[in-house]
Amino acid sequence: MIPGSGELTHTDRGLLYGEGVFETVHVRPAGPWLLDAHLARLARSAAALGIDVPSGLAELVSGITHTDGALRLVVTPSTSFATVDAVPETIRAERRDGIRLITHDVGLTRRPPWSLAGAKTLSYAENLAAKRWAVAQGADDLLWLDSHGQALEGPTASLVWLDGDTLCTVAPDRTGILPGTTAAHLLARSAEVGLRAEERMITAAELPGVDAIWLASSLRGLAEARTLDGQERAASPWTPRLLDLLGFSPS
Amino acid sequence: MIPGSGELTHTDRGLLYGEGVFETVHVRPAGPWLLDAHLARLARSAAALGIDVPSGLAELVSGITHTDGALRLVVTPSTSFATVDAVPETIRAERRDGIRLITHDVGLTRRPPWSLAGAKTLSYAENLAAKRWAVAQGADDLLWLDSHGQALEGPTASLVWLDGDTLCTVAPDRTGILPGTTAAHLLARSAEVGLRAEERMITAAELPGVDAIWLASSLRGLAEARTLDGQERAASPWTPRLLDLLGFSPS
């Protein structure tokens, strides 16, 4: 726990109702990676719940360094705190070796008007239950589809794919999914490696035909789908190049 | 907080991910009401998340008494505790005066296989966001509909309605909604006041034609819908009779 962090109480709404917001930030020798983007999303998530983010949070954590660390920022209506840990070996392995990815309909037609799907809240039990279900099916992670078979996001990650010379991700504005910080940063820098970038929709039926598929998230960076719904896929030469672009060193 | 309760930590998964389960129990001068049924549901919810409920929880709270109290039981993977407060005046007013109820499509087609909808988890932000949305529309509470317009449940309550001499509620088994402890108890005792009981489905279009509509939950007991989607409804003579049957004294 970071010094200066808040006290916990048994009546905190973050604990009692999952009413709070969080961010997970990769920590490097140079400090927390993409901290401003994560703090901006934290503020947007908090606004969706009507919660204030304490002003001192950035100063509290901006000096933290780690060889390969995970910074977690938590804000609830009554407290805020940060924790730092080493990135777990399971996540480092997903960067290196890729993942077995399966797809499944999330069962949603359209988001109701009160939906918090675009906010990163502490009410994360369903996300983690979805990942556990994927593991029980013999996979590592899950890609949610809408009722038309269009790809949305993973329970804890964004979808990124390569189609020819274009790096693509799903449009958060059109779908109500959580805007991915890592995915947005990657697409913004695609020209540095000679690729275009575009927000698109893609169906599960079209996905096997693309050149590479990744789940993008703060700690993994990119985890390449080496199987999709049980079908093996060759490792893309772009995976190490893009991880390098994102500043993830080989491990 | 009840003596003997667990410690909180900043890495508790109940706080970090809303991974935990809870029950709210009405406390009376004779003790916690329907405690066994709530503990049974707590155990089923915990099983859905793969969490153990500590064996001493029933003994810890069974002796608690209150004139009109709210006992909250919380179990996470690393801690468990209970809190007791007076039932808020807003909830007492809903028993007495009824509520303005509106309906809205919850946006679900079918529950995905990992769904925790039948478990009462701490990931409650979406439920509370739905209630806040209803309040922003000028209502007090919300009734969720499936994509065929069939009534499901409220964000924090079960639907109960009177159709002639039959007290009805929505079938949890067919819909995946949370089985309501108060609604089940009420229907089990309906013969004592000369009514039948039945689990049924009903559409939002059919609801205005029934004899009475209530949201049933532990602390409110029954809150009668005095308006439904803006249309006024006469107070049912059954509301005080059924509240009396459930042991809620007039306030």
Side-chain angles (χ1 to χ4, degrees), chain B residues 89-107:
Chain B
E89 174 52 29
T90 49
I91 287 182
R92 294 161 58 90
E94 291 187 349
R95 269 182 221 154
R96 192 176 57 224
D97 305 327
I99 54 173
R100 294 162 296 178
L101 184 65
I102 57 176
T103 61
H104 199 285
D105 183 355
V106 73

Side-chain angles (χ1 to χ4, degrees), chain A residues 144-163:
Chain A
W144 283 331
L145 310 175
D146 72 11
S147 53
H148 306 292
Q150 294 189 118
L152 294 172
E153 62 187 331
T156 66
S158 314
L159 175 68
V160 172
W161 68 98
L162 180 67
D163 185 5

Side-chain angles (χ1 to χ4, degrees), chain B residues 185-203:
Chain B
H185 177 77
L186 175 65
L187 265 65
R189 295 187 59 184
S190 60
E192 296 176 41
V193 288
L195 296 175
R196 298 162 192 269
E198 198 176 304
E199 289 185 350
R200 287 187 192 167
M201 300 302 289
I202 190 166
T203 65

Side-chain angles (χ1 to χ4, degrees), chain B residues 205-224:
Chain B
E206 294 166 333
L207 258 184
V210 306
D211 295 287
I213 301 166
W214 299 277
L215 288 188
S217 54
S218 302
L219 301 186
R220 287 186 285 198
L222 294 169
E224 185 178 0

Side-chain angles (χ1 to χ4, degrees), chain A residues 33-34 158-163 165-172 174 177 179-201 212-217 221-222 238 241-243 245-246:
Chain A
W33 182 54
L34 304 179
S158 314
L159 175 68
V160 172
W161 68 98
L162 180 67
D163 185 5
D165 67 350
T166 307
L167 265 182
C168 308
T169 193
V170 177
R174 270 189 282 170
I177 63 172
T181 301
T182 306
H185 177 77
L186 174 66
L187 264 65
R189 297 187 58 183
S190 58
E192 297 176 41
V193 288
L195 297 174
R196 300 162 191 268
E198 197 176 304
E199 290 186 349
R200 287 187 193 168
M201 300 301 290
I213 302 166
W214 299 276
L215 288 188
S217 54
L222 293 170
W238 282 99
R241 281 179 224 164
L242 296 178
L243 279 170
L245 176 68
L246 294 179

Side-chain angles (χ1 to χ4, degrees), chain B residues 41 44-45 106 108 110-111 115-120 127 143-146 150-161 168-181 183-184 199-202 215-216:
Chain B
R41 189 170 66 181
R44 288 195 303 272
S45 297
V106 73
L108 271 175
R110 58 185 173 284
R111 312 268 180 198
S115 173
L116 299 173
K120 199 168 174 74
N127 303 54
L143 176 63
W144 283 331
L145 311 175
D146 70 14
Q150 295 190 115
L152 294 172
E153 63 187 329
T156 66
S158 314
L159 175 67
V160 172
W161 70 96
C168 307
T169 194
V170 176
D173 294 345
R174 268 188 283 169
T175 55
I177 63 172
L178 187 75
T181 301
E199 289 185 350
R200 287 187 192 167
M201 300 302 289
I202 190 166
L215 288 188

Side-chain angles (χ1 to χ4, degrees), chain B residues 45-63:
Chain B
S45 297
L49 282 172
I51 298 175
D52 289 326
V53 177
S55 56
L57 201 59
E59 289 66 37
L60 195 66
V61 301
S62 59

